[in-house]
Amino acid sequence: MTTAPVHRGSRLYVKKFGGTSVGSLERIGVVAEQIAEAYRLGEHQVIVCSAMAGETNRLYALAQQLGGEAPARELDMLVATGEQVSIALLCIALQQRGVNARSLLASQVPIRTSSMHGAADIEQIDSHHLQQLLHAGIVPVVAGFQGVDAAGNITTLGRGGSDTTAVALAAALAADECQIFTDVDGVFTTDPAIEPTARKLDCISFTEMLALARHGAKVLHPDSVATAQRYRVPLRVLSSFTPGQGTLIEEAMPATSRVTGIAIHRHQALLTHANPLQAHELRQQIQALLRHCGVSFETDDSASNLWFGVQQQQYSQLVAAMAQLNSSAISCKCFPSLSRLSVVAGVVPSISRLTQNIDDLLEGEGIDVKLTSCSTAALSVWVDEANTDRAVRVLHHGFGLNKV
Ligand code: ADP
Ligand code: ASP
Ligand code: MG
C-alpha cells in the first residue's frame, strides 16, 4: 500500500462507526450530529461505516435459506450490500445537517483486494479521489468490509472487516489518527459484556492488542491491528454512545510482565493425545487427513503432546476424518464443546509459572483445563464451554485485573 500525505493545516481523522453505532435511524442521526459538529470545527474526516447491526447476519441467513452452498462470489455480492445502505443513510442525514458528504463503495475509492472471496486482503488503495474530495471540503463516507479485485468482482474482508478498511484508509491517507467508534468505551481487560468489573485501558501496545484480537477480543479485527502496526497508524477505540478518550493503541509502551487482559474464543473443539509413542508420524498422518477433508485446524508442531484445535462447526468432520485412521489413533480424546481463554501479557514472564497460576486458579474452582498452549504474548487454556463465563471471572479476579 502506498501512503501519501494529504493534509496541511488541520488534522485528518479516519472515523469508523460499527454496526451498533449505526444500528437504527436514531443512531444514524446521533452519529451524523457528531460528524457535523467536527465538520463545523473545521476537522478533516473520512468516515467508514459498517452495515446496520444484524444486517450482515440477515443477508448470510437469506443465502442459507436457499439451501446448498452459495458460490463465494455471489455471497460477497449479497453481504456487501449492508454497507451500501448505511453509507447512503448516513450521507442523507449528514446533508440534512449541512455537511457536504458523499458516499463511496469500495470500487469507487477504489480499494483493491485479492480475489479470496469472504477473506480478501487489501492490496492497494488509490487515495487520489479521496484527497480530491477532502480538498474540496467534502466528507467521504466509505463502505467498510468490502473491496474490488483486479477483475472487478466485489469481495469482502471477513466478518468485522470494516475495522481493517478504516485502518488501511488511514495508512493510505497518512491520517493523524484512526478512530474506531463502537458500543463500549474502549479496550477493556476482558469483554465487559461477560465481566462487569473489567477495566478500560487508557493505552495498550500493538503487540498486546494484536494478541487480544487474535484470541477473540472482537472489539478490533486482528488484521486492522496488524495493518496499524505495520504502517504506524495511531489507532484509538472509543464509544459513539458516551464521550471519552477511549483507548489508544501505540507502539511505545514499556514492556511489562503484568497480565494485560483475557480474550475468549467460544465454540471450539479439540482433539488431544497425551503421549503417543509415534507422535511425529501420527501428527503428520492426522494433518494430511484433515487437510484432505478440508478441515481448518490449529496445532503446535513443537509441543510434546499432540493436539488439533478446530472450530466447533467442523467437529463432525474432525471425528469423521479420525474414523479413517488406524488403531494408533484410538487413544485420541475428542472434546466437542470448549472455549479457549487466553491470558495476554506484553512479556510472558515464565511460561511454567503462568501456567501453574492459571491451573491453580481454575482447578481451585473445580474447572478442568483440557489443554494449555503458548503463542506470542499469550497463554491459552481450553475449558468446557459451559464454564466460560465463570472461568473468565476467576482469572480476571485472580490476576487482579479489576484493580489499577
Ligand atoms: P462494532 O459493531 O462496533 O464493530 P463489535 O461488536 O465488533 O463492535 O465489537 C465491540 C464488542 O467487543 C463489545 O460490545 C464487547 O462486548 C466486545 N469485546 C470483546 N472483548 C473486548 C475487550 N477486551 N474490550 C472491549 N470490548 C470487547
Ligand atoms: N458488516 C460486517 C460484519 O458484520 C463488517 C463489520 O461490521 O465490520 O461482519
Ligand atoms: Mg466489529
Side-chain angles (χ1 to χ4, degrees):
M1 197 184 309
T2 49
T3 63
V6 66
H7 258 78
R8 293 187 192 92
S10 185
R11 286 165 71 80
L12 172 66
Y13 295 95
V14 175
K15 301 179 181 179
K16 176 253 169 178
F17 294 90
T20 41
S21 297
V22 293
S24 63
L25 291 181
E26 191 197 342
R27 285 297 314 159
I28 288 176
V30 170
V31 163
E33 203 46 62
Q34 289 169 12
I35 298 167
E37 221 173 286
Y39 178 80
R40 288 180 211 118
L41 293 171
E43 205 177 85
H44 294 286
Q45 321 172 64
V46 172
I47 310 301
V48 174
C49 227
S50 291
M52 294 169 80
E55 183 59 11
T56 311
N57 285 347
R58 189 185 74 84
L59 293 167
Y60 275 115
L62 278 181
Q64 219 172 13
Q65 283 164 34
L66 286 173
E69 204 174 317
R73 181 188 182 279
E74 303 313 325
L75 207 48
D76 273 357
M77 182 68 93
L78 173 69
V79 299
T81 59
E83 275 70 14
Q84 181 163 350
V85 172
S86 58
I87 55 170
L89 288 172
L90 183 57
C91 276
I92 294 169
L94 283 168
Q95 286 172 26
Q96 285 167 351
R97 286 163 178 79
V99 179
N100 198 353
R102 187 165 309 166
S103 59
L104 295 171
L105 295 172
S107 57
Q108 295 171 304
V109 173
I111 300 173
R112 178 67 64 78
T113 69
S114 65
S115 299
M116 182 63 80
H117 286 289
D121 288 317
I122 296 179
E123 289 175 343
Q124 203 201 348
I125 294 180
D126 182 350
S127 63
H128 194 72
H129 183 44
L130 289 176
Q131 290 187 54
Q132 280 179 333
L133 294 175
L134 287 167
H135 284 299
I138 297 169
V139 178
V141 179
V142 180
F145 179 53
Q146 56 176 259
V148 59
D149 75 0
N153 297 301
I154 290 175
T155 57
T156 63
L157 311 178
R159 299 307 305 267
S162 299
D163 296 338
T164 313
T165 306
V167 174
L169 285 176
L173 292 162
D176 292 287
E177 193 165 279
C178 181
Q179 302 185 331
I180 306 290
F181 285 88
T182 184
D183 58 357
V184 287
D185 292 346
V187 179
F188 283 68
T189 46
T190 194
D191 188 344
I194 295 181
E195 175 51 67
T197 70
R199 193 168 42 83
K200 182 184 82 74
L201 301 164
D202 292 334
C203 46
I204 181 172
S205 71
F206 278 120
T207 309
E208 290 159 286
M209 189 62 237
L210 194 54
L212 280 176
R214 281 196 174 135
H215 290 97
K218 79 187 255 259
V219 65
L220 279 178
H221 192 289
D223 288 352
S224 73
V225 185
T227 306
Q229 184 170 30
R230 179 164 174 207
Y231 292 99
R232 296 172 187 274
V233 176
L235 183 59
R236 191 183 290 274
V237 175
L238 59 181
S239 169
S240 71
F241 290 76
T242 39
Q245 290 301 302
T247 301
L248 181 66
I249 297 107
E250 58 182 355
E251 199 50 88
M253 291 281 296
T256 84
S257 59
R258 193 179 165 194
V259 168
T260 315
I262 298 158
I264 305 125
H265 256 148
R266 293 178 195 266
H267 313 311
Q268 304 295 303
L270 196 62
L271 178 140
T272 62
H273 197 306
N275 187 21
L277 287 174
Q278 294 164 314
H280 183 64
E281 217 171 278
L282 188 57
R283 189 191 303 277
Q284 291 199 328
Q285 216 179 350
I286 297 176
Q287 274 178 355
L289 195 59
L290 293 183
R291 282 199 190 103
H292 177 74
C293 299
V295 179
S296 321
F297 60 88
E298 191 193 346
T299 187
D300 179 358
D301 288 340
S302 62
S304 55
N305 58 343
L306 185 84
W307 63 269
F308 291 88
V310 302
Q311 298 288 320
Q312 204 168 70
Q313 66 214 33
Q314 291 205 299
Y315 179 71
S316 51
Q317 280 169 274
L318 174 73
V319 172
M322 292 304 293
Q324 296 176 36
L325 274 183
N326 60 31
S327 56
S328 57
I330 283 171
S331 49
C332 281
K333 276 195 200 159
C334 293
F335 301 97
S337 183
L338 300 180
S339 281
R340 175 189 188 155
L341 310 187
S342 301
V343 173
V344 169
V347 180
V348 175
S350 147
I351 292 172
S352 58
R353 209 172 63 220
L354 189 56
T355 307
Q356 193 60 55
N357 281 350
I358 295 172
D359 283 355
D360 289 349
L361 285 167
L362 293 178
E363 275 158 24
E365 289 294 321
I367 298 171
D368 192 24
V369 174
K370 311 293 183 203
L371 177 80
T372 305
S373 78
C374 190
S375 55
T376 313
L379 210 128
S380 303
V381 286
W382 275 258
V383 300
D384 276 330
E385 193 158 12
N387 287 328
T388 311
D389 291 12
R390 201 157 58 90
V392 169
R393 285 189 202 119
V394 167
L395 293 178
H396 194 266
H397 185 77
F399 285 108
L401 289 172
N402 48 336
K403 302 186 198 112
V404 183

